[in-house]
């Protein structure tokens, strides 16, 4: 799979696309909180994201309806893998150790975490 890299601005726009599935420019503008970015800024982001093959569009006359070409789960998986590679030497065990000792999890949450691992071991 091709590596997925999003800037913070691109991620904000992708969140809108992931939530709405398909959008026109006016829908994107409405979805942003105030102060809204300029339409030219959004157009630049959309073009850049098309070039990265992150989004596509259907043309209706002069209007474009945009849609994500990358699923949110796929992006999240790629981000987590990249983070584990960079910060934990590709060791999921080191990540789990850090996470469980630093995330201030309750006993209930730790048990749930253990149950998830136990379920994966059974498979």
């Amino acid at each position: 799979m091709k590596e997925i890299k999003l800037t913070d601005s691109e991620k904000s726009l992708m969140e809108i696309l992931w939530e709405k599935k398909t959008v026109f420019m006016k829908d994107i503008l409405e979805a942003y909180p105030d102060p809204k970015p300029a339409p030219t800024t959004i157009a630049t982001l959309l073009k850049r994201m098309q070039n990265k093959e992150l989004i596509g569009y259907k043309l209706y006359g002069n209007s474009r309806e945009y849609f994500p070409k990358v699923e949110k789960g796929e992006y999240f998986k790629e981000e987590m893998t990249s983070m584990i590679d960079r910060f934990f030497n590709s060791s999921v065990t080191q990540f789990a150790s850090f996470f469980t000792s630093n995330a201030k999890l309750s006993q209930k949450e730790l048990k749930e975490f253990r149950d998830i691992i136990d379920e994966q071991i059974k498979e």
Side-chain angles (χ1 to χ4, degrees):
M1 178 177 66
K2 184 176 152 186
E3 188 175 356
I4 304 166
K5 288 289 182 195
L6 295 176
T7 65
D8 289 342
S9 298
E10 291 169 342
K11 186 173 178 301
S12 295
L13 183 50
M14 282 301 288
E15 289 290 349
I16 293 168
L17 288 164
W18 285 324
E19 179 184 334
K20 298 191 178 290
K21 310 290 187 234
T22 62
V23 291
F24 290 94
M25 176 65 89
K26 68 176 183 60
D27 303 318
I28 295 170
L29 283 168
E30 289 172 7
Y32 272 96
D34 288 327
K36 297 181 185 304
T40 53
T41 301
I42 294 174
T44 300
L45 281 172
L46 289 167
K47 181 65 176 163
R48 191 167 65 197
M49 292 166 69
Q50 287 170 45
N51 291 340
K52 290 182 175 183
E53 298 183 15
L54 299 170
I55 64 170
Y57 66 86
K58 294 179 190 170
L59 203 53
Y60 297 97
N62 291 333
S63 297
R64 293 179 180 187
E65 183 181 40
Y66 297 95
F67 58 89
K69 292 174 86 175
V70 174
E71 296 293 324
K72 188 173 185 175
E74 181 182 348
Y75 170 72
F76 183 72
K77 180 180 174 185
E78 181 73 24
E79 277 292 295
M80 288 301 298
T81 300
S82 176
M83 182 192 69
I84 291 169
D85 290 347
R86 284 191 325 263
F87 296 112
F88 300 98
N89 300 317
S90 301
S91 171
V92 175
T93 305
Q94 285 181 17
F95 168 72
S97 175
F98 175 84
F99 177 74
T100 55
S101 61
N102 291 288
K104 298 181 181 166
L105 300 173
S106 69
Q107 287 297 311
K108 181 179 184 249
E109 290 168 322
L110 284 168
K111 183 181 178 328
E112 289 171 355
F113 191 55
R114 184 179 63 201
D115 291 345
I116 290 168
I117 292 169
D118 288 344
E119 187 62 34
Q120 291 298 312
I121 291 170
K122 290 178 188 175
E123 294 178 0

